[in-house]
PDB file of all heavy atoms in Angstrom:
ATOM      1  N   ASP A 361      85.786 117.350  58.827  1.00  0.00           N
ATOM      2  CA  ASP A 361      85.863 116.146  57.952  1.00  0.00           C
ATOM      3  C   ASP A 361      84.838 115.133  58.531  1.00  0.00           C
ATOM      4  O   ASP A 361      84.436 114.216  57.713  1.00  0.00           O
ATOM      5  CB  ASP A 361      87.198 115.533  58.014  1.00  0.00           C
ATOM      6  CG  ASP A 361      88.392 116.445  57.378  1.00  0.00           C
ATOM      7  OD1 ASP A 361      88.003 117.240  56.459  1.00  0.00           O
ATOM      8  OD2 ASP A 361      89.290 116.466  57.968  1.00  0.00           O
ATOM      9  N   TYR A 362      84.352 115.209  59.793  1.00  0.00           N
ATOM     10  CA  TYR A 362      83.559 114.171  60.290  1.00  0.00           C
ATOM     11  C   TYR A 362      82.360 114.917  60.918  1.00  0.00           C
ATOM     12  O   TYR A 362      82.416 115.112  62.165  1.00  0.00           O
ATOM     13  CB  TYR A 362      84.267 113.253  61.184  1.00  0.00           C
ATOM     14  CG  TYR A 362      83.614 111.985  61.411  1.00  0.00           C
ATOM     15  CD1 TYR A 362      83.771 110.807  60.495  1.00  0.00           C
ATOM     16  CD2 TYR A 362      82.709 111.734  62.408  1.00  0.00           C
ATOM     17  CE1 TYR A 362      83.084 109.627  60.656  1.00  0.00           C
ATOM     18  CE2 TYR A 362      82.154 110.657  62.693  1.00  0.00           C
ATOM     19  CZ  TYR A 362      82.248 109.505  61.820  1.00  0.00           C
ATOM     20  OH  TYR A 362      81.734 108.358  61.963  1.00  0.00           O
ATOM     21  N   HIS A 363      81.307 115.178  60.250  1.00  0.00           N
ATOM     22  CA  HIS A 363      80.206 116.086  60.684  1.00  0.00           C
ATOM     23  C   HIS A 363      79.430 115.426  61.791  1.00  0.00           C
ATOM     24  O   HIS A 363      78.598 116.114  62.543  1.00  0.00           O
ATOM     25  CB  HIS A 363      79.334 116.577  59.514  1.00  0.00           C
ATOM     26  CG  HIS A 363      78.506 115.465  59.009  1.00  0.00           C
ATOM     27  ND1 HIS A 363      78.948 114.466  58.021  1.00  0.00           N
ATOM     28  CD2 HIS A 363      77.249 114.941  59.324  1.00  0.00           C
ATOM     29  CE1 HIS A 363      77.965 113.600  57.628  1.00  0.00           C
ATOM     30  NE2 HIS A 363      77.020 113.828  58.461  1.00  0.00           N
ATOM     31  N   LYS A 364      79.479 114.080  61.915  1.00  0.00           N
ATOM     32  CA  LYS A 364      78.707 113.431  63.053  1.00  0.00           C
ATOM     33  C   LYS A 364      79.278 113.972  64.462  1.00  0.00           C
ATOM     34  O   LYS A 364      78.445 114.042  65.504  1.00  0.00           O
ATOM     35  CB  LYS A 364      79.012 112.017  63.088  1.00  0.00           C
ATOM     36  CG  LYS A 364      78.049 111.140  63.800  1.00  0.00           C
ATOM     37  CD  LYS A 364      76.659 111.139  63.029  1.00  0.00           C
ATOM     38  CE  LYS A 364      75.702 110.180  63.765  1.00  0.00           C
ATOM     39  NZ  LYS A 364      74.358 110.034  63.184  1.00  0.00           N
ATOM     40  N   SER A 365      80.394 114.629  64.501  1.00  0.00           N
ATOM     41  CA  SER A 365      80.856 115.154  65.836  1.00  0.00           C
ATOM     42  C   SER A 365      80.090 116.366  66.263  1.00  0.00           C
ATOM     43  O   SER A 365      80.083 116.685  67.429  1.00  0.00           O
ATOM     44  CB  SER A 365      82.281 115.558  65.751  1.00  0.00           C
ATOM     45  OG  SER A 365      82.475 116.600  64.773  1.00  0.00           O
ATOM     46  N   ARG A 366      79.361 116.983  65.247  1.00  0.00           N
ATOM     47  CA  ARG A 366      78.602 118.132  65.647  1.00  0.00           C
ATOM     48  C   ARG A 366      77.461 117.855  66.555  1.00  0.00           C
ATOM     49  O   ARG A 366      77.091 118.714  67.420  1.00  0.00           O
ATOM     50  CB  ARG A 366      77.963 118.708  64.360  1.00  0.00           C
ATOM     51  CG  ARG A 366      79.057 119.258  63.391  1.00  0.00           C
ATOM     52  CD  ARG A 366      78.417 119.718  62.080  1.00  0.00           C
ATOM     53  NE  ARG A 366      79.379 119.842  61.114  1.00  0.00           N
ATOM     54  CZ  ARG A 366      79.186 120.115  59.754  1.00  0.00           C
ATOM     55  NH1 ARG A 366      77.922 120.188  59.358  1.00  0.00           N
ATOM     56  NH2 ARG A 366      80.195 120.282  58.983  1.00  0.00           N
ATOM     57  N   ARG A 367      77.010 116.647  66.519  1.00  0.00           N
ATOM     58  CA  ARG A 367      75.925 116.274  67.521  1.00  0.00           C
ATOM     59  C   ARG A 367      76.400 116.294  68.926  1.00  0.00           C
ATOM     60  O   ARG A 367      75.698 116.795  69.778  1.00  0.00           O
ATOM     61  CB  ARG A 367      75.444 114.692  67.133  1.00  0.00           C
ATOM     62  CG  ARG A 367      74.395 114.244  68.226  1.00  0.00           C
ATOM     63  CD  ARG A 367      74.107 112.786  67.874  1.00  0.00           C
ATOM     64  NE  ARG A 367      73.611 112.111  69.095  1.00  0.00           N
ATOM     65  CZ  ARG A 367      73.290 110.823  69.157  1.00  0.00           C
ATOM     66  NH1 ARG A 367      73.714 110.093  68.246  1.00  0.00           N
ATOM     67  NH2 ARG A 367      72.743 110.405  70.298  1.00  0.00           N
ATOM     68  N   LEU A 368      77.563 115.735  69.183  1.00  0.00           N
ATOM     69  CA  LEU A 368      78.149 115.828  70.540  1.00  0.00           C
ATOM     70  C   LEU A 368      78.444 117.193  70.978  1.00  0.00           C
ATOM     71  O   LEU A 368      78.239 117.553  72.104  1.00  0.00           O
ATOM     72  CB  LEU A 368      79.401 114.919  70.564  1.00  0.00           C
ATOM     73  CG  LEU A 368      80.115 114.892  71.962  1.00  0.00           C
ATOM     74  CD1 LEU A 368      79.080 114.417  73.074  1.00  0.00           C
ATOM     75  CD2 LEU A 368      81.334 113.957  71.852  1.00  0.00           C
ATOM     76  N   LEU A 369      78.822 118.047  70.015  1.00  0.00           N
ATOM     77  CA  LEU A 369      79.212 119.382  70.354  1.00  0.00           C
ATOM     78  C   LEU A 369      77.843 120.166  70.819  1.00  0.00           C
ATOM     79  O   LEU A 369      77.940 121.067  71.794  1.00  0.00           O
ATOM     80  CB  LEU A 369      79.862 120.093  69.238  1.00  0.00           C
ATOM     81  CG  LEU A 369      81.225 119.810  68.893  1.00  0.00           C
ATOM     82  CD1 LEU A 369      81.785 120.390  67.578  1.00  0.00           C
ATOM     83  CD2 LEU A 369      82.177 120.178  70.031  1.00  0.00           C
ATOM     84  N   ARG A 370      76.821 119.828  70.024  1.00  0.00           N
ATOM     85  CA  ARG A 370      75.561 120.540  70.453  1.00  0.00           C
ATOM     86  C   ARG A 370      75.074 120.078  71.863  1.00  0.00           C
ATOM     87  O   ARG A 370      74.526 120.811  72.568  1.00  0.00           O
ATOM     88  CB  ARG A 370      74.492 120.138  69.354  1.00  0.00           C
ATOM     89  CG  ARG A 370      74.562 120.833  67.987  1.00  0.00           C
ATOM     90  CD  ARG A 370      73.372 120.722  67.177  1.00  0.00           C
ATOM     91  NE  ARG A 370      73.048 119.365  66.893  1.00  0.00           N
ATOM     92  CZ  ARG A 370      73.505 118.581  65.797  1.00  0.00           C
ATOM     93  NH1 ARG A 370      74.237 119.174  64.898  1.00  0.00           N
ATOM     94  NH2 ARG A 370      73.058 117.452  65.625  1.00  0.00           N
ATOM     95  N   GLU A 371      75.290 118.700  72.025  1.00  0.00           N
ATOM     96  CA  GLU A 371      74.811 118.182  73.341  1.00  0.00           C
ATOM     97  C   GLU A 371      75.572 118.948  74.624  1.00  0.00           C
ATOM     98  O   GLU A 371      75.084 119.242  75.604  1.00  0.00           O
ATOM     99  CB  GLU A 371      75.018 116.720  73.461  1.00  0.00           C
ATOM    100  CG  GLU A 371      74.013 116.041  72.565  1.00  0.00           C
ATOM    101  CD  GLU A 371      74.350 114.519  72.420  1.00  0.00           C
ATOM    102  OE1 GLU A 371      75.295 114.108  72.977  1.00  0.00           O
ATOM    103  OE2 GLU A 371      73.547 113.851  71.808  1.00  0.00           O
ATOM    104  N   MET A 372      76.905 119.053  74.337  1.00  0.00           N
ATOM    105  CA  MET A 372      77.736 119.640  75.370  1.00  0.00           C
ATOM    106  C   MET A 372      77.527 121.092  75.457  1.00  0.00           C
ATOM    107  O   MET A 372      77.443 121.605  76.626  1.00  0.00           O
ATOM    108  CB  MET A 372      79.324 119.525  74.890  1.00  0.00           C
ATOM    109  CG  MET A 372      79.736 118.140  74.889  1.00  0.00           C
ATOM    110  SD  MET A 372      79.627 117.143  76.462  1.00  0.00           S
ATOM    111  CE  MET A 372      80.969 117.982  77.386  1.00  0.00           C
ATOM    112  N   ASN A 373      77.226 121.943  74.367  1.00  0.00           N
ATOM    113  CA  ASN A 373      76.819 123.295  74.461  1.00  0.00           C
ATOM    114  C   ASN A 373      75.490 123.437  75.231  1.00  0.00           C
ATOM    115  O   ASN A 373      75.323 124.353  75.953  1.00  0.00           O
ATOM    116  CB  ASN A 373      76.751 123.918  73.127  1.00  0.00           C
ATOM    117  CG  ASN A 373      78.165 124.045  72.493  1.00  0.00           C
ATOM    118  OD1 ASN A 373      79.113 124.197  73.226  1.00  0.00           O
ATOM    119  ND2 ASN A 373      78.260 124.021  71.228  1.00  0.00           N
ATOM    120  N   HIS A 374      74.636 122.480  74.994  1.00  0.00           N
ATOM    121  CA  HIS A 374      73.269 122.578  75.625  1.00  0.00           C
ATOM    122  C   HIS A 374      73.485 122.313  77.174  1.00  0.00           C
ATOM    123  O   HIS A 374      72.809 122.994  77.967  1.00  0.00           O
ATOM    124  CB  HIS A 374      72.313 121.582  75.016  1.00  0.00           C
ATOM    125  CG  HIS A 374      71.089 121.502  75.736  1.00  0.00           C
ATOM    126  ND1 HIS A 374      70.062 122.460  75.636  1.00  0.00           N
ATOM    127  CD2 HIS A 374      70.516 120.549  76.535  1.00  0.00           C
ATOM    128  CE1 HIS A 374      68.938 122.088  76.282  1.00  0.00           C
ATOM    129  NE2 HIS A 374      69.151 121.014  76.847  1.00  0.00           N
ATOM    130  N   LEU A 375      74.341 121.395  77.413  1.00  0.00           N
ATOM    131  CA  LEU A 375      74.583 121.056  78.821  1.00  0.00           C
ATOM    132  C   LEU A 375      75.098 122.428  79.535  1.00  0.00           C
ATOM    133  O   LEU A 375      74.646 122.765  80.643  1.00  0.00           O
ATOM    134  CB  LEU A 375      75.577 119.995  78.920  1.00  0.00           C
ATOM    135  CG  LEU A 375      75.800 119.377  80.318  1.00  0.00           C
ATOM    136  CD1 LEU A 375      76.281 117.932  80.183  1.00  0.00           C
ATOM    137  CD2 LEU A 375      76.960 120.129  81.045  1.00  0.00           C
ATOM    138  N   SER A 376      76.152 123.005  78.930  1.00  0.00           N
ATOM    139  CA  SER A 376      76.643 124.158  79.695  1.00  0.00           C
ATOM    140  C   SER A 376      75.785 125.424  79.681  1.00  0.00           C
ATOM    141  O   SER A 376      75.782 126.226  80.691  1.00  0.00           O
ATOM    142  CB  SER A 376      78.126 124.562  79.103  1.00  0.00           C
ATOM    143  OG  SER A 376      77.876 124.839  77.679  1.00  0.00           O
ATOM    144  N   SER A 377      74.897 125.509  78.576  1.00  0.00           N
ATOM    145  CA  SER A 377      73.993 126.654  78.530  1.00  0.00           C
ATOM    146  C   SER A 377      73.025 126.767  79.676  1.00  0.00           C
ATOM    147  O   SER A 377      72.583 127.771  79.984  1.00  0.00           O
ATOM    148  CB  SER A 377      73.329 126.711  77.141  1.00  0.00           C
ATOM    149  OG  SER A 377      72.410 125.628  77.096  1.00  0.00           O
ATOM    150  N   GLN A 378      72.705 125.537  80.277  1.00  0.00           N
ATOM    151  CA  GLN A 378      71.673 125.553  81.398  1.00  0.00           C
ATOM    152  C   GLN A 378      72.445 126.204  82.634  1.00  0.00           C
ATOM    153  O   GLN A 378      71.570 126.578  83.512  1.00  0.00           O
ATOM    154  CB  GLN A 378      71.437 124.071  81.762  1.00  0.00           C
ATOM    155  CG  GLN A 378      70.799 123.275  80.476  1.00  0.00           C
ATOM    156  CD  GLN A 378      70.487 121.816  80.959  1.00  0.00           C
ATOM    157  OE1 GLN A 378      69.970 121.607  82.054  1.00  0.00           O
ATOM    158  NE2 GLN A 378      70.985 120.929  80.108  1.00  0.00           N
ATOM    159  N   TYR A 379      73.591 126.347  82.671  1.00  0.00           N
ATOM    160  CA  TYR A 379      74.213 126.940  83.847  1.00  0.00           C
ATOM    161  C   TYR A 379      74.820 128.402  83.469  1.00  0.00           C
ATOM    162  O   TYR A 379      75.451 128.990  84.345  1.00  0.00           O
ATOM    163  CB  TYR A 379      75.332 126.125  84.348  1.00  0.00           C
ATOM    164  CG  TYR A 379      74.869 124.790  84.694  1.00  0.00           C
ATOM    165  CD1 TYR A 379      74.966 123.676  83.736  1.00  0.00           C
ATOM    166  CD2 TYR A 379      74.459 124.496  86.037  1.00  0.00           C
ATOM    167  CE1 TYR A 379      74.488 122.411  84.174  1.00  0.00           C
ATOM    168  CE2 TYR A 379      74.116 123.190  86.414  1.00  0.00           C
ATOM    169  CZ  TYR A 379      74.081 122.206  85.440  1.00  0.00           C
ATOM    170  OH  TYR A 379      73.593 120.847  85.821  1.00  0.00           O
ATOM    171  N   ALA A 380      74.414 128.919  82.346  1.00  0.00           N
ATOM    172  CA  ALA A 380      75.086 130.260  81.920  1.00  0.00           C
ATOM    173  C   ALA A 380      74.801 131.342  82.845  1.00  0.00           C
ATOM    174  O   ALA A 380      75.715 132.044  83.222  1.00  0.00           O
ATOM    175  CB  ALA A 380      74.603 130.514  80.486  1.00  0.00           C
ATOM    176  N   GLN A 381      73.664 131.447  83.400  1.00  0.00           N
ATOM    177  CA  GLN A 381      73.201 132.497  84.239  1.00  0.00           C
ATOM    178  C   GLN A 381      74.034 132.398  85.542  1.00  0.00           C
ATOM    179  O   GLN A 381      74.624 133.431  86.038  1.00  0.00           O
ATOM    180  CB  GLN A 381      71.740 132.649  84.519  1.00  0.00           C
ATOM    181  CG  GLN A 381      71.309 133.752  85.486  1.00  0.00           C
ATOM    182  CD  GLN A 381      71.616 135.119  84.948  1.00  0.00           C
ATOM    183  OE1 GLN A 381      71.543 135.267  83.605  1.00  0.00           O
ATOM    184  NE2 GLN A 381      72.058 136.077  85.757  1.00  0.00           N
ATOM    185  N   SER A 382      74.098 131.283  86.108  1.00  0.00           N
ATOM    186  CA  SER A 382      74.818 131.237  87.425  1.00  0.00           C
ATOM    187  C   SER A 382      76.259 131.213  87.225  1.00  0.00           C
ATOM    188  O   SER A 382      76.956 131.808  88.198  1.00  0.00           O
ATOM    189  CB  SER A 382      74.398 129.653  87.915  1.00  0.00           C
ATOM    190  OG  SER A 382      73.056 129.590  88.147  1.00  0.00           O
ATOM    191  N   PHE A 383      76.787 130.811  86.067  1.00  0.00           N
ATOM    192  CA  PHE A 383      78.105 130.871  85.735  1.00  0.00           C
ATOM    193  C   PHE A 383      78.632 132.339  85.680  1.00  0.00           C
ATOM    194  O   PHE A 383      79.686 132.698  86.205  1.00  0.00           O
ATOM    195  CB  PHE A 383      78.446 130.227  84.470  1.00  0.00           C
ATOM    196  CG  PHE A 383      78.739 128.759  84.606  1.00  0.00           C
ATOM    197  CD1 PHE A 383      78.939 127.953  83.503  1.00  0.00           C
ATOM    198  CD2 PHE A 383      78.614 128.099  85.781  1.00  0.00           C
ATOM    199  CE1 PHE A 383      78.992 126.600  83.596  1.00  0.00           C
ATOM    200  CE2 PHE A 383      78.829 126.716  86.013  1.00  0.00           C
ATOM    201  CZ  PHE A 383      79.051 125.897  84.894  1.00  0.00           C
ATOM    202  N   SER A 384      77.812 133.168  85.180  1.00  0.00           N
ATOM    203  CA  SER A 384      78.233 134.638  85.040  1.00  0.00           C
ATOM    204  C   SER A 384      78.293 135.280  86.316  1.00  0.00           C
ATOM    205  O   SER A 384      79.284 136.222  86.570  1.00  0.00           O
ATOM    206  CB  SER A 384      77.103 135.273  84.179  1.00  0.00           C
ATOM    207  OG  SER A 384      75.869 135.404  84.745  1.00  0.00           O
TER     208      SER A 384
END
Side-chain angles (χ1 to χ4, degrees):
D361 300 322
Y362 200 80
H363 68 273
K364 197 75 173 178
S365 64
R366 298 173 192 171
R367 173 188 163 189
L368 179 56
L369 287 174
R370 288 194 300 269
E371 291 174 355
M372 297 299 289
N373 287 332
H374 176 71
L375 186 152
S376 61
S377 66
Q378 300 178 49
Y379 300 91
Q381 181 60 39
S382 299
F383 279 174
S384 64

